[in-house]
Amino acid sequence: MKVVLENLEDFEEGEDFAKLLEESEKSYDKGTIKEGTIVSINDEYAMIDVGEKIEGRLSIFEIKDNDNNLLFKQGDKIPVYTSQGRGERPNVSYKKAIKNEKLQAKIKELGEDYRDKVIEGKVIKKNKGGYIVESEGIEYFMPKFNSSLKDDAKNIDKKIKACIVNIRPEDNSIIISRKRFFELDDKNQTEGAKKLVQSDAVHTGIVKNITTFGMFIEIDGVEGLVHYTEISHKGPINPSKYYKEGDKVQVKAIAYDEAKKRLSLSIKAIGEDPWKEIQKELKTGYAIKVIVSNIEPYGVFVDIGNDIEGFLHISEISWDKDIKHPADYLKIGQEIDVEVIEIDSQNRRLRVSLKKLLEKPFVGFCKNHKTGEVIEGKIATLTDFGAFVNFGGVDGLLHNEDAFWDKNQKCKDQFKVGDVIKVKIIKIDKEAERISLGIKDFKSSPAEEFEKKYNIDDIVKGDVIDIKDFGIFIKVDGMDALIKTEDLSPLKKEEVKIGDEIQGVVAFIDRTNNKVRVSVKKLERKKEKEELKAFNSDDKMTLGDLIKDRI
């Protein structure tokens, strides 16, 4: 029987609890457990004969199992909890009878030595005087003033621990107190925690609760926290990936904060620190075998084999710079060879590289290609000064000056990333590991086209398009031609302005470097020679004629 205490909310701590129970029973119609007989069964109810004038009505769901099968049939005798109903028909309950039987068995089991025994259960409902707590199918009553709970709906389904403070066999009541548990627990926790730390031994604990920051472990009634950094030497890990509530774990007490009443436990402290072995056995540059243990978008964690993980950054997986995700190259459980590139014992960080054990793409490129060769590649990056062309693991630079004869043209205006183009290898710098490319040689240079129309010493003229310290540029038939300052004479550079037309002779044509030079000075000399030649030619004819006439 479960006692309902109507006036328990007015009960103050220190009053006689037995007296309060007696007063509450005055207005309570007690129920009893009787043996009843199932008279009939339909889809909703079973009618139970309990020796009253009228049969009691029992919900059919009380005598069905979890698979919705009936546990009894018509004519079966079953225990029922019987109490006076509002009308003439009595209230009957099979489940209440079973609960009461369990409660009576528990009371008998506890005997006289019950006080301060701890039960762990769940708050299933609230009544006027307190809460009903269920533990292993048995219902306990916890007065509100002994609950240390705020009076709100959030308490339902809350897991708690409490001490048994009273038993009323005549009322089938077991009274518990969470407040009393805290009083005893504080003392037990402090004393127990200190003993655990002092023992420096390994203990078996039970996982009671798992959070994002660690696990709460109970050791013989003493609870401590294993922080997520104290689970493994691998580093911080998510405890929910490796443990669940109820698991048994081996732990060691490492510290107790008396002010905060906090016991710190460790799983990794049980064994020897594997970093000592790492410092002794491994060195930067060593090649080791590892197992891929976890894959993230930014890299891969690898198991070294002694509870330590190394980190393989995505940039260290392959010489190919176009890696989208490590999972495209590796899978969990795969065994790979890597090179140790960093051992940071202080921060417990070990970095490894996979690509350093692979042949550099540049080395392979040098083996398969040579200067002057024309190959095909893909535009990987565009910049203001040119474009980087990828050949599968190695990039070459196509500079704007090597791409176009026109100095105003740029790669970023002519191409887009992903374009496949043919290029010529201009230079391979093995020491700096650089590849220079060009495409302008695929077309005739403007100087080469100019040479088809003009020869050295041909007279040309053009408009001034630019003035520099070292000379001026004129546009001659679409070609920029340079007149050096010393070749301007008899013209004075300070008198020349943009747009002026200047005449000179072709002095130099460089097809490879696309350069043409014009000279005004040379034109003047040419004119002088021609005039002198013409003058000398006229004198000789006159003298001959004279001699001829005289003869």
Side-chain angles (χ1 to χ4, degrees):
M1 183 189 74
K2 185 167 59 196
V3 177
V4 178
L5 306 176
E6 296 292 345
N7 60 338
L8 192 56
E9 63 182 358
D10 300 322
F11 179 72
E12 297 296 334
E13 187 175 2
E15 290 187 34
D16 187 348
F17 194 74
K19 182 180 177 181
L20 181 60
L21 281 173
E22 290 174 3
E23 290 177 356
S24 69
E25 289 168 0
K26 292 177 182 178
S27 60
Y28 181 72
D29 185 12
K30 296 181 181 180
T32 58
I33 296 177
K34 295 183 178 182
E35 184 179 70
T37 302
I38 300 176
V39 177
S40 63
I41 300 176
N42 62 30
D43 292 338
E44 295 183 16
Y45 301 100
M47 303 306 294
I48 311 297
D49 181 6
V50 291
E52 302 285 340
K53 294 179 181 180
I54 303 177
E55 297 159 350
R57 187 163 56 188
L58 178 70
S59 172
I60 194 69
F61 295 107
E62 287 207 35
I63 55 173
K64 282 188 173 184
D65 62 17
N66 293 332
D67 296 325
N68 209 32
N69 298 316
L70 280 170
L71 299 171
F72 307 102
K73 63 183 183 299
Q74 185 176 333
D76 285 352
K77 294 184 181 300
I78 61 172
V80 289
Y81 181 86
T82 307
S83 61
Q84 185 60 47
R86 292 183 179 179
E88 296 182 0
R89 190 183 300 279
N91 290 328
V92 293
S93 172
Y94 170 69
K95 287 188 176 181
K96 281 186 179 181
I98 298 302
K99 285 182 180 180
N100 273 269
E101 287 179 351
K102 286 184 178 181
L103 186 58
Q104 289 172 9
K106 186 66 177 179
I107 291 173
K108 185 176 180 181
E109 176 193 326
L110 290 168
E112 297 297 325
D113 186 25
Y114 62 82
R115 187 159 184 82
D116 290 338
K117 286 192 181 296
V118 178
I119 68 105
E120 188 171 353
K122 182 170 67 175
V123 178
I124 59 172
K125 60 177 138 177
K126 179 181 182 297
N127 61 25
K128 191 174 182 181
Y131 301 90
I132 304 301
V133 178
E134 184 180 59
S135 175
E136 298 180 348
I138 298 171
E139 293 183 357
Y140 299 81
F141 177 68
M142 181 170 64
K144 183 165 59 177
F145 65 81
N146 274 337
S147 68
S148 295
L149 293 172
K150 291 182 179 180
D151 191 16
D152 57 35
K154 293 181 180 179
N155 294 323
I156 304 302
D157 290 332
K158 184 181 182 70
K159 291 181 179 180
I160 66 160
K161 288 182 179 180
C163 287
I164 297 174
V165 294
N166 199 3
I167 290 180
R168 300 273 296 182
E170 66 276 16
D171 301 313
N172 285 340
S173 298
I174 302 178
I175 316 303
I176 60 175
S177 170
R178 188 164 176 253
K179 184 177 180 181
R180 175 63 177 168
F181 170 78
F182 287 149
E183 292 172 356
L184 296 176
D185 190 56
D186 282 347
K187 181 180 178 182
N188 293 337
Q189 285 287 329
T190 300
E191 293 177 355
K194 288 180 178 178
K195 287 180 181 179
L196 289 172
V197 174
Q198 290 170 0
S199 71
D200 195 35
V202 176
H203 302 275
T204 300
I206 305 295
V207 178
K208 305 303 291 184
N209 188 26
I210 297 177
T211 69
T212 55
F213 54 84
M215 302 185 295
F216 288 95
I217 310 293
E218 185 180 281
I219 309 168
D220 298 330
V222 179
E223 194 170 89
L225 173 69
V226 177
H227 195 263
Y228 70 98
T229 58
E230 287 296 329
I231 295 175
S232 171
H233 288 286
K234 294 178 182 178
I237 64 173
N238 184 353
S240 62
K241 286 186 176 181
Y242 300 91
Y243 302 93
K244 63 181 183 298
E245 290 183 13
D247 282 354
K248 290 183 178 181
V249 293
Q250 299 288 303
V251 294
K252 193 173 185 180
I254 55 175
Y256 179 66
D257 188 331
E258 193 162 358
K260 296 180 180 179
K261 298 186 182 299
R262 182 180 298 164
L263 174 64
S264 297
L265 304 173
S266 174
I267 294 174
K268 73 179 185 181
I270 293 173
E272 186 178 353
D273 188 353
W275 275 97
K276 293 180 181 179
E277 183 184 353
I278 291 293
Q279 290 174 305
K280 187 186 301 181
E281 302 294 336
L282 285 186
K283 294 186 183 302
T284 302
Y286 277 20
I288 57 175
K289 284 189 180 296
V290 296
I291 303 293
V292 176
S293 56
N294 188 28
I295 298 177
E296 299 291 346
Y298 51 86
V300 172
F301 290 92
V302 294
D303 189 354
I304 306 299
N306 57 350
D307 202 30
I308 285 184
E309 281 188 325
F311 181 60
L312 173 64
H313 192 266
I314 188 171
S315 63
E316 292 294 335
I317 293 175
S318 170
W319 292 106
D320 184 359
K321 297 178 181 179
D322 197 28
I323 296 181
K324 297 292 186 284
H325 197 285
D328 297 334
Y329 287 76
L330 300 168
K331 60 180 181 293
I332 293 176
Q334 182 178 349
E335 184 180 67
I336 56 174
D337 291 319
V338 293
E339 181 179 314
V340 178
I341 59 175
E342 181 186 7
I343 301 175
D344 185 349
S345 299
Q346 184 175 354
N347 295 306
R348 294 177 175 262
R349 183 170 60 199
L350 179 71
R351 292 178 57 239
V352 298
S353 172
L354 177 60
K355 73 180 185 181
K356 284 187 179 296
L357 297 182
L358 306 174
E359 183 181 64
K360 279 188 176 182
F362 183 82
V363 175
F365 185 89
C366 293
K367 290 179 181 178
N368 299 319
H369 302 286
K370 58 185 179 180
T371 302
E373 184 179 345
V374 176
I375 58 175
E376 199 172 74
K378 183 186 293 185
I379 301 288
T381 309
L382 291 167
T383 68
D384 285 334
F385 55 83
F388 287 95
V389 183
N390 182 260
F391 304 105
V394 61
D395 289 347
L397 174 61
L398 174 62
H399 201 281
N400 290 331
E401 293 181 359
D402 297 317
F404 311 104
W405 292 109
D406 186 347
K407 295 180 180 180
N408 294 319
Q409 284 187 289
K410 292 185 177 182
C411 289
K412 68 178 184 178
D413 299 325
Q414 303 296 321
F415 305 113
K416 61 180 183 296
V417 173
D419 283 352
V420 176
I421 61 172
K422 286 185 177 181
V423 292
K424 182 180 180 180
I425 301 173
I426 298 175
K427 182 181 179 182
I428 298 177
D429 186 340
K430 293 184 179 180
E431 186 175 340
E433 295 190 359
R434 292 176 183 170
I435 303 167
S436 299
L437 308 170
I439 58 172
K440 70 180 185 180
D441 288 346
F442 296 156
K443 295 181 179 179
S444 298
S445 69
E448 191 173 353
E449 295 297 320
F450 185 86
E451 191 179 34
K452 293 178 181 178
K453 298 180 181 179
Y454 302 98
N455 296 314
I456 301 298
D457 288 338
D458 281 358
I459 298 174
V460 294
K461 61 182 177 180
D463 296 335
V464 177
I465 57 173
D466 197 6
I467 299 174
K468 301 290 185 183
D469 291 338
F470 52 83
I472 66 172
F473 285 93
I474 63 173
K475 181 73 76 173
V476 181
D477 200 8
M479 181 70 196
D480 293 352
L482 170 65
I483 303 176
K484 289 186 175 182
T485 301
E486 58 266 28
D487 288 329
L488 269 172
S489 179
L491 297 177
K492 294 181 179 180
K493 190 173 72 171
E494 55 270 19
E495 295 178 357
V496 176
K497 59 183 183 297
I498 301 295
D500 287 353
E501 184 179 78
I502 295 179
Q503 190 176 52
V505 297
V506 178
F508 177 74
I509 300 175
D510 185 349
R511 292 182 298 173
T512 304
N513 295 306
N514 195 39
K515 292 179 180 179
V516 172
R517 279 174 45 207
V518 171
S519 174
V520 177
K521 185 176 181 180
K522 195 173 182 181
L523 174 62
E524 292 301 313
R525 287 178 180 175
K526 182 178 181 179
K527 286 181 179 179
E528 289 176 0
K529 287 181 180 180
E530 288 178 352
E531 288 176 358
L532 181 59
K533 182 179 180 181
F535 175 76
N536 290 335
S537 176
D538 289 343
D539 287 347
K540 289 175 182 179
M541 289 179 64
T542 303
L543 181 61
D545 289 341
L546 290 172
I547 294 173
K548 183 179 180 182
D549 290 342
R550 287 180 180 180
I551 292 174

